[in-house]
Amino acid sequence: MIEFRLPSLGSDMDDGTLVEWRVRPGDVVKKGQVVAVVDTTKAAIDVECWDEGVVHLLLAEPGTRLPVGAPLAILRAPGETVADADRAWAAARALKAAGPTTAAEAQRAAQAVVPPAPAMPPPAPGATVPPARPASTPAPSPARTPAVPPAAGATPAAAGASPTPRPRISPLARRVAREHHLDPARIPAPRGVVQLEDVQAALRAGLAASPAVGPAVAATPAGPTAGPAAGPVAPPTPAQRARAMRQTIAAAMARSKREIPHYYLSEEIEFAQAAQWLAARNAGLPPAQRLLPAALLLKAVALSLRRYPEFNGFWREGAFVAGSGVHVGVAVSLREGGLVAPALHDADRLDIATLTRSLLDLVKRTRAGALRSSELADPTITVTNLGDQGVASVFGVIYPPQVALVGFGRIAPRPWVDEAGRLVAAPLLTATLAADHRASDGHRGALLLAAIRAALQEPESLGAPWQDAPARPQE
Amino acid sequence: MPATSYREALRAAHREALQRDARVFVMGEDVGRYGGSYAVTKGLLEEFGEARVRDTPLSELGFVGAGIGAAMGGMRPIVEVMTVNFSLLALDAIVNTAAALRHMSGGQFGVPVVIRMATGAGRQLAAQHSHSLEVWYAHVPGLKVLAPATLADARGMLWPALQDPDPVLIFEHAQLYNLEGDLPDPAPVVDISRAAVRRAGDDVTIVTYGGSLPRALAAAGTLAEQGIAAEVIDLRVLRPLDMATVLASVRKTHRVLVVDEGWRTGSLAGEVMARVAEEAFYDLDAPPARVCSEEVPIPYAKHMEEAALPLPPKIVAAARALRQSA
């Protein structure tokens, strides 16, 4: 039995209101799948589940305000039967009712009623797990082909099951499904492959609409969600959202200035090499495919952070904790006022074309209010690029618990002295670093900015070779 | 609008070139006294004289080389090679001299030669006389390759080709010479850079060139009766390819079928499909498809020759398969 709890929605969020469920009891959940939509003061966030299993029970009702960490649903673990999951859940609730003893005791008691898992090694990260096949047939999930989760590269022997075929989805259908926040694997495919018309049919049939929270799969005493869902809850009005957004920003920024001893550095970067490289790459490309200067800047920052990891992480409880990867938060201003800085995951590993696409997608979804919880929780540093607004340089306020913020101003021709000592007009860009002096010192900050500058003098080093193979979009 | 033929349009284009530019002359086997093996240059010797319309010996390597030399010397020759099959004898001159000289000389020498060739199958001329080797030339940097498939292009492409400072190859499908239709007078000016949408549609994009254009249009007519609206694109220029036009269409229809009389393996169709996959992958709802000649030397017997070529029934079947499935 797996308890799925409301994950963190960013360091300045403590709770959210469940808007709708994206899964029903009986649905297979894959790692990273969006299972619910939760509203915070900033936006409606797609909440991802990082466990794999089958939805057993939905615990929370749409419309309820829940703290981060509140249990939202119960999943059946791989190999667990419906009956076992019921018993486990009943036992866990009984324990909670009895009051906590010690965490260890409670854990032991809960495990005692879960039958030992069949002799199956724990799935490797990303491995495929077949849905549990209980003795009693649960409420049938909607018939669909293929009805199995896609293999993710684990050896079949390790997963203890025969390899499942990769679902066949045309690139167009996958893209359109993603744009509408539909999981392509859930779309019925009568011809054996999901194509555009199947996605459109699914949209018309309301597949993305809130599924009713169905009756509990087996009789559960006083199941908390036996009733039907109230349906999606009306989101806050724009005025309410704007007020709440400002309060959230005010709290975060005040905390930042109160707690973080900022130091500031700035560096002028000559952009001619990068501009030429971009112009050559973009020549002959239609506007929709052109690479953005912002993608180059983000990549330069991401690669430089690999060399100076003390700027990529968090200050927690008196010490620096390095980030698990380079997840660059991109500051996006919202039209109705306010600011969100969601993460571009693993920005150091993306080629420039993918980075451009991901950036545009992220900005679009941010402004449309369609972000995922991992995008809010995971940024390890923030980059703010106010060049388009025409300002020469920006000294930002670090977003706690991060320890640094890189700012970029506009790219414009300015006087510059070249290696030959001549005064020339060159495209210049002012990059700045605001950094937490608890975690780093000016010397290292200067090296970081110097690395960013050096990277932008050799744009070929930032990305893939001339012909990028089309990369798979980030799942 | 006067009625005319592809052949007559070509002849009119030659006449205009000979009149407008004193540097232009025509050379090739049987272009003068015989009037051209496809009758394109008929009457031009009488009108313009032996200095402007020159019969050459039966030696492709020799006279193509001479034409290249004339171009380097300041003339604007139109070299007629009877068919692409015989151009193989002049491949060295075309690829190693004409295509490469500007590059090898650092820009000091250009080769402003126009080489015209008949191409294609369908007249039972069998294995050695039925090739469609446009793709071999489209592979070579330094060459521009044109494939006029309409009367307007037959009439209009020759002049801009002659004005180009670099070598231009013009492929005329042998079955197009008798193509009849109307052509405005004066004839429209055409470019030699872009593809053309010959028929608009939303369901599938059919990309083709040269002698396969009438086949694709016929197939599109049949498909329309079956409820499938095909968009037909005539590439017109095989090097450099106008992928912008093709990609815009693919982004609209999400399905692409390329019709190419060359053999499937190593075909120009393969290049177009690769470019579509590279640049419009996320707009495709089905894999790119092609209809080409079967992998056999073109047969002599009529029914077998027809079975080997990408004729309309095969195009219709392929387009239907694209629409219906994965």
Side-chain angles (χ1 to χ4, degrees):
Chain A
M1 177 199 82
I2 302 167
E3 268 194 54
F4 171 61
R5 296 168 180 276
L6 181 61
S8 165
L9 305 170
S11 64
D12 50 355
M13 291 298 174
D14 301 317
D15 57 44
T17 304
L18 177 65
V19 173
E20 57 171 337
W21 281 107
R22 288 280 171 85
V23 292
R24 282 176 277 209
D27 283 351
V28 172
V29 171
K30 299 190 312 293
K31 213 188 220 3
Q33 179 173 336
V34 171
V35 296
V37 181
V38 167
D39 202 63
T40 68
T41 55
K42 287 198 165 178
I45 309 296
D46 290 340
V47 176
E48 299 142 305
C49 175
W50 299 99
D51 292 305
E52 299 207 325
V54 178
V55 179
H56 184 67
L57 272 184
L58 300 175
L59 299 178
E61 283 205 39
T64 331
R65 190 162 168 170
L66 298 154
V68 167
L72 292 181
I74 301 295
L75 302 183
R76 285 198 294 281
E80 197 179 358
T81 68
V82 171
D84 293 336
D86 284 336
R87 272 200 294 280
W89 176 234
R93 280 206 338 278
L95 272 173
K96 285 187 200 191
T101 49
T102 66
E105 278 178 318
Q107 211 174 18
R108 265 200 305 280
Q111 278 174 345
V113 294
V114 174
M120 203 168 73
T128 297
V129 166
R133 302 198 190 291
S136 60
T137 319
S141 24
R144 62 175 188 270
T145 321
V148 289
T155 64
S162 52
T164 52
R166 179 186 169 85
R168 300 181 70 207
I169 303 162
S170 84
L172 175 67
R174 185 185 289 276
R175 171 165 72 74
V176 173
R178 187 182 313 279
E179 285 166 9
H180 288 89
H181 307 289
L182 274 184
D183 179 1
R186 295 185 61 211
I187 298 171
R191 287 178 312 280
V193 64
V194 176
Q195 293 182 297
L196 179 65
E197 59 185 87
D198 306 305
V199 177
Q200 289 167 334
L203 286 171
R204 279 193 301 271
L207 198 62
S210 161
V213 174
V217 171
T220 307
T225 53
V233 171
T237 67
Q240 286 172 331
R241 207 187 263 298
R243 227 176 5 256
M245 163 88 65
R246 281 264 59 97
Q247 282 168 354
T248 307
I249 295 178
M253 296 294 96
R255 172 181 162 203
S256 176
K257 283 288 170 167
R258 211 170 37 235
E259 295 177 3
I260 302 182
H262 284 59
Y263 69 88
Y264 301 96
L265 300 175
S266 85
E267 174 73 12
E268 287 209 315
I269 298 180
E270 217 237 317
F271 204 69
Q273 296 293 330
Q276 269 169 31
W277 185 89
L278 272 177
R281 287 296 303 269
N282 284 337
L285 285 183
Q289 287 173 4
R290 290 188 192 143
L291 308 177
L292 295 177
L296 273 184
L297 300 178
L298 289 172
K299 187 73 187 278
V301 170
L303 288 179
S304 303
L305 286 171
R306 288 224 288 240
R307 290 175 55 192
Y308 300 102
E310 65 264 46
F311 296 93
N312 186 65
F314 313 104
W315 187 262
R316 288 207 175 110
E317 282 141 38
F320 174 72
V321 176
S324 58
V326 180
H327 309 310
V328 178
V330 178
V332 180
S333 66
L334 304 175
R335 279 191 201 92
E336 55 275 19
L339 188 64
V340 186
L344 265 178
H345 289 92
D346 294 312
D348 56 329
R349 306 224 190 130
L350 302 179
D351 63 79
I352 305 296
T354 310
L355 204 46
T356 298
R357 277 197 299 274
S358 304
L359 176 63
L360 290 170
D361 173 65
L362 191 64
V363 171
K364 187 168 106 174
R365 281 190 295 112
T366 305
R367 295 208 167 121
L371 287 173
R372 302 187 198 112
S373 51
S374 61
E375 286 167 336
L376 289 182
D378 291 350
T380 52
I381 187 174
T382 298
V383 172
T384 181
N385 182 353
L386 291 180
D388 290 339
Q389 271 61 46
V391 76
S393 62
V394 48
F395 293 92
V397 181
I398 299 170
Y399 192 70
Q402 295 167 29
V403 295
L405 187 148
V406 175
F408 291 106
R410 73 167 178 272
I411 302 168
R414 295 218 285 277
W416 180 253
V417 178
D418 65 12
E419 304 91 37
R422 289 177 302 216
L423 189 64
V424 296
L428 295 187
L429 161 70
T430 301
T432 59
L433 173 68
D436 184 335
H437 217 313
R438 298 172 297 182
S440 66
D441 299 328
H443 173 69
R444 298 289 288 178
L447 290 177
L448 177 70
L449 278 184
I452 296 171
R453 185 198 65 226
L456 288 170
Q457 303 312 308
E458 287 180 24
E460 319 73 53
S461 68
L462 289 178
W466 175 267
Q467 294 285 6
D468 292 344
R472 290 191 61 200
Q474 277 183 296
E475 295 289 341
Chain B
M1 239 196 289
T4 186
S5 68
Y6 186 96
R7 171 187 293 110
E8 285 164 356
L10 282 170
R11 189 179 309 136
H14 282 71
R15 187 174 286 119
E16 177 198 354
L18 287 162
Q19 284 168 350
R20 272 173 87 175
D21 191 336
R23 304 170 297 175
V24 171
F25 70 98
V26 187
M27 59 185 293
E29 292 163 6
D30 292 330
V31 298
R33 271 178 294 278
Y34 189 73
S37 51
Y38 293 97
V40 170
T41 51
K42 187 163 171 194
L44 295 183
L45 173 63
E46 291 76 7
E47 188 176 341
F48 292 96
E50 282 184 342
R52 310 289 302 284
V53 183
R54 295 172 172 250
D55 284 321
T56 67
L58 210 166
S59 169
E60 278 73 14
L61 183 57
F63 71 75
V64 170
I68 290 171
M72 289 172 66
M75 307 297 285
R76 296 277 163 144
I78 302 170
V79 179
E80 177 179 302
V81 175
M82 199 179 290
T83 73
V84 68
N85 309 286
F86 311 132
S87 77
L88 302 186
L89 296 159
L91 209 45
D92 181 77
I94 297 173
V95 172
N96 282 324
T97 304
L101 264 185
R102 184 178 291 288
H103 168 86
M104 289 170 65
S105 71
Q108 296 178 70
F109 303 107
V111 182
V113 66
V114 170
I115 305 176
R116 292 177 38 244
M117 322 186 207
T119 182
R123 292 155 359 109
Q124 290 189 264
L125 295 181
Q128 296 174 332
H129 292 63
S130 304
H131 294 313
S132 292
L133 292 174
E134 291 89 323
V135 64
W136 285 16
Y137 294 99
H139 181 62
V140 178
L143 297 178
K144 185 171 277 174
V145 177
L146 309 179
T150 62
L151 266 56
D153 281 343
R155 178 65 183 84
M157 281 183 154
L158 183 61
W159 181 253
L162 283 165
Q163 303 314 304
D164 197 303
D166 292 312
V168 179
L169 273 48
I170 304 181
F171 287 93
E172 303 154 7
H173 195 284
Q175 289 196 303
L176 290 177
Y177 286 119
N178 289 330
L179 184 70
E180 287 184 351
D182 295 324
L183 198 56
D185 185 17
V189 169
V190 304
D191 67 69
I192 51 171
S193 53
R194 283 179 309 189
V197 178
R198 299 295 185 195
R199 180 181 175 131
D202 285 333
D203 293 335
V204 60
T205 298
I206 301 180
V207 183
T208 189
Y209 67 92
S212 292
L213 177 63
R215 299 166 183 155
L217 288 169
T222 307
L223 287 165
E225 288 162 19
Q226 299 171 3
I228 297 175
E231 179 147 294
V232 178
I233 298 184
D234 174 8
L235 284 173
R236 297 180 70 246
V237 183
L238 306 185
R239 181 178 183 104
L241 285 171
D242 173 14
M243 286 309 298
T245 302
V246 174
L247 294 171
S249 177
V250 171
R251 291 196 181 104
K252 182 174 66 158
T253 65
H254 310 300
R255 285 165 168 79
V256 65
L257 171 66
V258 190
V259 181
D260 181 351
E261 194 178 309
W263 292 297
R264 176 189 191 81
T265 304
S267 58
L268 193 63
E271 171 68 16
V272 173
M273 292 161 77
R275 296 282 300 270
V276 168
E278 284 171 347
E279 298 171 45
F281 184 78
Y282 298 107
D283 294 294
L284 287 172
D285 210 16
R290 58 184 153 178
V291 180
C292 299
S293 286
E294 303 298 331
E295 301 276 309
V296 292
I298 301 299
Y300 163 73
K302 185 164 178 58
H303 64 298
M304 294 189 66
E305 184 182 41
E306 284 175 6
L309 297 177
L311 297 184
K314 281 191 199 167
I315 303 173
V316 170
R320 288 179 61 89
L322 253 192
R323 266 312 306 181
Q324 273 158 8
S325 82

